[in-house]
Amino acid sequence: MSLARFSFNQATTQRWPLPEVVAGCVAAGVPGIGLWREPVAGYGLARSAKLVRDAGLTVTSLCRGGFFSADDWRAENLLAIEEAAVLGAPELVLVSGGLPAGSRDVDGARQRVADAIGELAPHAEAAGVRLAIEPLHPMFAADRCVIATLGQALDIAERFDPSVVGVVVDAYHVWWDDTVYAQIARAATRIAAFQVCDWVTPLPEGVLLGRALPGDGCIELRRLREAVDAAGYVGPIEVEVFSAEVWARPGAEVLDAAIAGYLRHVV
């Protein structure tokens, strides 16, 4: 089976420096890499772009923009759009942010997300970067992302041209939703990114790091992949895992395991 659509999100090996991630991907025959702003900034934006370009890798996404409840959201997101353009990332993943401090107004927070994306969309279009709204599991609604379902993400994305604003289908965040397959079909060409990992219990304290490599949990990953394919998505499939246990393993070992899980459980 082919790795033609496989992309390795660098967050999966948190402690593997960017040059080693890039070298590991090249050695393993991986064509794509998903990047994060913080390690890219640490290595240097122009340096990172050259490193990945010279290695022949495709940048499949940049994480992340969003967090629209922050005071500096506009400047930070405009900067993120610029960074994505320099890196050649076609998609800037947006994690929308939780409730403002002291607020209980979730409807107002969601409207703020829609308004902010409306303000950013012309800048993203001019830069050739698509804004990709990522819904997060509802347990993150208070502090990380008030957009909690694929349907909510689409309600915003559908106000814009699909080439400018799309959505992320992240298996970890959407697998539980009994409407997800209907929403994937609804999304069609608005699917900007497809990310896979697995769900394991018990969740760790703080719940953020409760992910596993594909095949190590309970998500019907192949079914989700078949659904996004049927909706018309032909883009990269990123493996993205947040797990202290995975991060403690050698990077090359994790990459090999991610490839094996992808081939066995996703494609």
Side-chain angles (χ1 to χ4, degrees):
M1 287 183 281
S2 171
L3 291 179
R5 296 176 69 187
F6 182 89
S7 177
F8 189 66
N9 191 290
Q10 74 173 132
T12 306
T13 47
Q14 186 90 348
R15 301 185 182 110
W16 214 13
L18 181 58
E20 295 181 30
V21 178
V22 168
C25 286
V26 171
V30 169
I33 186 169
L35 297 176
W36 278 69
R37 295 181 65 205
E38 293 82 2
V40 164
Y43 190 71
L45 177 61
R47 234 178 129 204
S48 297
K50 184 177 187 304
L51 175 71
V52 174
R53 184 173 61 248
D54 290 352
L57 295 179
T58 298
V59 179
T60 54
S61 69
L62 179 65
C63 288
R64 63 198 173 192
F67 286 91
F68 299 118
S69 56
D71 291 338
D72 63 346
W73 70 265
R74 189 179 188 279
E76 194 61 31
N77 278 275
L78 290 175
L79 180 59
I81 290 168
E82 292 178 13
E83 292 168 358
V86 170
L87 292 166
E91 326 289 349
L92 174 64
V93 175
L94 301 180
V95 175
S96 300
L99 292 170
S103 173
R104 293 181 174 85
D105 183 6
V106 68
D107 291 339
R110 288 179 179 139
Q111 184 58 51
R112 178 176 180 140
V113 171
D115 292 344
I117 290 172
E119 189 169 338
L120 294 174
H123 300 278
E125 184 176 17
V129 174
R130 178 156 58 167
L131 302 176
I133 307 169
E134 181 173 15
L136 266 58
H137 190 283
M139 64 184 172
F140 296 109
D143 62 341
R144 287 186 177 271
C145 190
V146 293
I147 305 302
T149 68
L150 189 56
Q152 290 170 1
L154 285 167
D155 287 345
I156 297 173
E158 286 174 347
R159 306 175 193 185
F160 306 93
D161 188 282
S163 65
V164 179
V165 180
V167 296
V168 180
V169 178
D170 185 324
Y172 185 78
H173 294 301
V174 304
W175 72 274
W176 59 274
D177 184 352
D178 64 347
T179 72
V180 69
Y181 294 101
Q183 297 300 333
I184 287 172
R186 171 189 170 192
T189 58
R190 294 184 185 280
I191 300 174
F194 178 43
Q195 296 178 329
V196 297
C197 64
D198 226 323
W199 180 287
V200 290
T201 52
L203 293 174
E205 184 178 357
V207 304
L208 183 63
L209 307 186
R211 301 190 185 203
L213 290 164
D216 289 347
C218 63
I219 301 178
E220 292 181 289
L221 294 171
R222 184 174 292 108
R223 184 183 178 195
L224 285 168
R225 193 268 303 159
E226 290 171 346
V228 297
D229 285 358
Y233 180 72
V234 295
I237 301 172
E238 283 190 9
V239 172
E240 182 190 57
V241 178
F242 303 147
S243 164
E245 180 181 341
V246 171
W247 290 344
R249 295 165 60 182
E253 177 185 304
V254 172
L255 177 56
D256 287 345
I259 291 170
Y262 168 84
L263 293 175
R264 184 173 180 183
H265 298 282
V266 180
V267 301

